[in-house]
Amino acid sequence: MKKTYLKSTFRDIRFSLGRFIAIILIIFMGVLLFVGVKSVGPDLTASAQNEIKTNNMSDLQIISTGGLTKDDQKSVEKISGSQVQLSKGFDYLEKNKKNNLKVYSYSKADKQNKLAVVKGHLPQQQDQVVVDEVLSSDYPLGSTITLNNDSLKKTKFHVVGFVRSPLYIANEERGNTTVGDGQANGFVYIPLKSFATDVYSQMYVTFDDLKEKTYSSSSYKHQLNRHIKKLDKVLEKRRDQRQVELQNFATKKSGPAKEKIAVQQEKLTQAKQQLSNGKSQLAQQERQLNQQEEILAAQVGQQQAQQLVQPRQQLAASKNKLQQQEQQLQQGQQKLTANKNL
């Protein structure tokens, strides 16, 4: 019975060999596809994990609109196992090529989010800059890029290299920005010493207990959430302190301006008093002139009284001058009030 079944099977295969081969190939391709799909995930995870370790990518990135200071860094470093790095930066609309740029600071001392040089070299002088590799056609090596911003000491920078940043994994997009149409076209890195501002805009944080964990694992996410809760408490305390610091800074910066406004206000008050005195004297002179004209007309006649025309003209000219001074004082008062409200 068994031999008969085998003979029948082989006979069917021999008479439909093409269909049999097709079925075998379909099964083989299905197995390959299944194995490939199952292996892609772990391979991508391993590749990404390798990039994270190689570039020492930060576990967290903290951005502050009010600015970050060394005191913020010290507060976060109190969390056990944390490594903190501060960075400066801003969003900028580059007018020549109409690109929305994310500008970051670069320092040799930076240990997190290390840049990968594609071509050229990293900045070695304050007037040098490296550019996102996707913008290499807009800003070739040796070209000059203009960044006119109050946060910088210089405005002209020479492009010396193209880089990749671990902050931007996908080349299709560069995130959002506060300038232009809201979509960033790329990034640039400028030496930290080229920045004129004292405050920082970003804080990068890594944790020692997460270095050996896979970023996609549940244990990594669980431990990271615990650190985030600790960070929230630390930064919550720093928020009120930072607000006081900003208020004190604003008061210190506005002190000389307020003193100048006070001096100008005093001068304006004195000028108003002088104008008021001038008006009183002018009115008194006009009354005296009218009295003299009436007396002279009664004594020698109207014709002789007309000799006072010239003094009256001088009096009118003085009135016009006082009116002009009054207008100038009013304009000065308006400007002074506007400066107070700034």
Side-chain angles (χ1 to χ4, degrees):
M1 182 71 180
K2 185 175 181 181
K3 290 182 178 180
T4 304
Y5 178 76
L6 289 175
K7 287 181 180 179
S8 175
T9 301
F10 286 125
R11 185 172 61 250
D12 291 340
I13 293 173
R14 186 172 64 254
F15 285 112
S16 57
L17 183 61
R19 184 173 62 180
F20 175 76
I21 294 175
I23 293 173
I24 294 298
L25 290 176
I26 290 172
I27 295 172
F28 182 70
M29 290 177 64
V31 172
L32 288 179
L33 181 62
F34 176 77
V35 172
V37 170
K38 291 290 289 183
S39 63
V40 165
D43 288 345
L44 289 176
T45 301
S47 178
Q49 191 67 26
N50 182 61
E51 286 294 320
I52 290 173
K53 287 187 176 182
T54 301
N55 299 317
N56 196 21
M57 190 173 179
S58 58
D59 296 308
L60 290 174
Q61 179 182 7
I62 301 170
I63 300 175
S64 172
T65 55
L68 297 164
T69 66
K70 292 290 186 179
D71 291 333
D72 296 308
Q73 181 179 9
K74 292 177 182 178
S75 297
V76 175
E77 285 177 341
K78 292 179 180 179
I79 299 176
S80 178
S82 63
Q83 308 294 329
V84 183
Q85 176 180 305
L86 293 174
S87 174
K88 298 179 181 180
F90 56 88
D91 296 341
Y92 184 78
L93 173 58
E94 200 280 307
K95 296 181 180 179
N96 186 25
K97 296 296 182 178
K98 308 299 182 185
N99 284 323
N100 301 324
L101 301 178
K102 306 284 288 186
V103 181
Y104 297 99
S105 63
Y106 162 77
S107 174
K108 288 183 179 180
D110 292 343
K111 296 180 179 180
Q112 299 183 39
N113 303 318
K114 295 180 179 180
L115 299 175
V117 179
V118 178
K119 190 175 182 180
H121 60 83
L122 293 171
Q124 300 173 351
Q125 300 178 13
Q126 291 190 24
D127 62 346
Q128 294 180 345
V129 62
V130 289
V131 180
D132 188 348
E133 64 171 334
V134 301
L135 299 178
S136 59
S137 59
D138 289 339
Y139 311 105
L141 287 178
S143 63
T144 300
I145 181 172
T146 300
L147 301 174
N148 191 3
N149 189 278
D150 293 337
S151 299
L152 299 176
K153 297 177 182 178
K154 300 176 179 292
T155 58
K156 303 288 185 180
F157 295 88
H158 302 292
V159 179
V160 297
F162 303 127
V163 295
R164 298 191 189 102
S165 171
L167 297 178
Y168 300 95
I169 299 176
N171 285 332
E172 290 75 17
E173 61 178 24
R174 287 294 183 256
N176 299 325
T177 180
T178 57
V179 297
D181 61 1
Q183 294 295 318
N185 300 112
F187 56 83
V188 297
Y189 278 81
I190 296 173
L192 180 62
K193 293 182 179 180
S194 297
F195 281 78
T197 178
D198 294 328
V199 297
Y200 299 81
S201 54
Q202 296 101 13
M203 177 187 292
Y204 305 121
V205 187
T206 58
F207 299 95
D208 293 339
D209 58 357
L210 297 179
K211 289 184 177 180
E212 301 304 321
K213 296 182 182 294
T214 304
Y215 77 97
S216 59
S217 66
S218 58
S219 61
Y220 175 90
K221 296 176 182 178
H222 175 72
Q223 190 66 17
L224 182 62
N225 287 330
R226 292 180 61 185
H227 288 310
I228 291 175
K229 291 179 180 179
K230 294 179 181 179
L231 272 172
D232 287 339
K233 293 180 180 179
V234 171
L235 296 177
E236 183 70 22
K237 295 179 181 179
R238 276 293 301 161
R239 183 181 64 180
D240 296 335
Q241 296 172 0
R242 181 58 180 157
Q243 184 176 0
V244 173
E245 291 172 0
L246 291 174
Q247 290 173 347
N248 293 336
F249 177 77
T251 301
K252 183 178 179 181
K253 292 287 287 185
S254 63
K258 287 182 178 179
E259 291 178 2
K260 185 177 180 180
I261 290 175
V263 172
Q264 292 176 345
Q265 182 65 60
E266 180 63 26
K267 291 181 179 179
L268 194 61
T269 302
Q270 293 176 0
K272 286 182 177 180
Q273 185 61 44
Q274 292 174 0
L275 182 64
S276 178
N277 294 339
K279 284 183 176 181
S280 299
Q281 292 175 3
L282 195 63
Q284 184 178 1
Q285 291 174 3
E286 188 174 12
R287 287 194 299 269
Q288 291 176 355
L289 187 61
N290 290 335
Q291 291 174 0
Q292 291 174 3
E293 188 176 17
E294 291 175 359
I295 294 172
L296 190 60
Q299 292 177 352
V300 298
Q302 187 67 29
Q303 186 175 1
Q304 294 295 328
Q306 291 179 353
Q307 294 177 359
L308 297 176
V309 171
Q310 185 175 1
R312 188 172 291 280
Q313 290 176 346
Q314 294 176 351
L315 191 63
S318 298
K319 278 186 177 181
N320 291 333
K321 187 175 181 180
L322 283 176
Q323 289 176 353
Q324 292 176 359
Q325 291 177 349
E326 187 174 16
Q327 290 177 354
Q328 291 175 356
L329 285 176
Q330 290 176 352
Q331 293 174 356
Q333 183 64 63
Q334 290 174 355
K335 290 181 180 179
L336 202 60
T337 303
N339 290 332
K340 286 182 179 180
N341 294 332
L342 290 178

